[in-house]
Amino acid sequence: MEQKYVAFISLFLDLFAFTLILPLFPKIFDFYASKKDDLTYNLLENSVDEYRKLIAHSTDRSLNSVLFGGLIGSLFSFLQFVSSTLIGAASDLYGRKPILLLAMVILIFVVAVN
C-alpha cells in the first residue's frame, strides 16, 4: 500500500515540475526575442514560423507563441525521455547513488556558470 503513495507522489511531482514553467513562457519568449544574436532562439523561431505558414496559411504571427510553447513543451518531454533512459542505464551499471550525485553536481555547475 505504501508503494502506491510513493508512486503517486512521484508522478504528482513530475507533472507539477512539468507545468511549473508554463505561466513563465510568455516572459521567457519576450526575453529571448529581444536578444537578436541568440542563434538557437532564432533557429527555433524560424522553424515555428515556417510550420505556422504550412499549417495555418496565416500571416498572423501571434500564433507563433502558441506553437513555440508547444515546441518547447514537446522538446522538454523528448529530452526527459532520452536523458532518463541514459541515466537509468548508467545507474544500472554504476549504482543509483553515484549517478544521482553526479547529476546533482553537474546541475549545480550548470546553474553556477549561467
Side-chain angles (χ1 to χ4, degrees):
M1 190 69 167
E2 184 177 309
Q3 290 177 341
K4 289 181 184 179
Y5 292 123
V6 171
F8 175 77
I9 290 171
S10 298
L11 289 173
F12 175 77
L13 289 176
D14 185 47
L15 290 173
F16 181 71
F18 178 72
T19 58
L20 189 65
I21 197 170
L22 293 179
L24 302 175
F25 272 172
K27 289 188 182 201
I28 291 171
F29 298 152
D30 292 341
F31 173 76
Y32 284 108
S34 68
K35 292 183 164 193
K36 299 298 181 193
D37 59 341
D38 191 351
L39 296 176
T40 305
Y41 180 80
N42 289 333
L43 175 72
L44 289 174
E45 185 180 32
N46 290 338
S47 299
V48 166
D49 197 40
E50 291 299 319
Y51 183 68
R52 176 191 48 84
K53 290 176 187 175
L54 180 70
I55 64 166
H57 301 292
S58 172
T59 57
D60 185 17
R61 292 186 59 104
S62 65
L63 184 61
N64 280 11
S65 63
V66 174
L67 293 173
F68 202 85
L71 175 70
I72 297 297
S74 299
L75 189 63
F76 174 81
S77 296
F78 174 73
L79 291 174
Q80 188 179 27
F81 169 74
V82 170
S83 65
S84 65
T85 54
L86 294 174
I87 289 175
S91 68
D92 288 342
L93 191 61
Y94 300 110
R96 183 177 55 220
K97 287 181 184 178
I99 297 301
L100 285 174
L101 286 173
L102 179 65
M104 284 190 264
V105 167
I106 291 172
L107 180 66
I108 290 169
F109 176 75
V110 167
V111 169
V113 168
N114 288 329

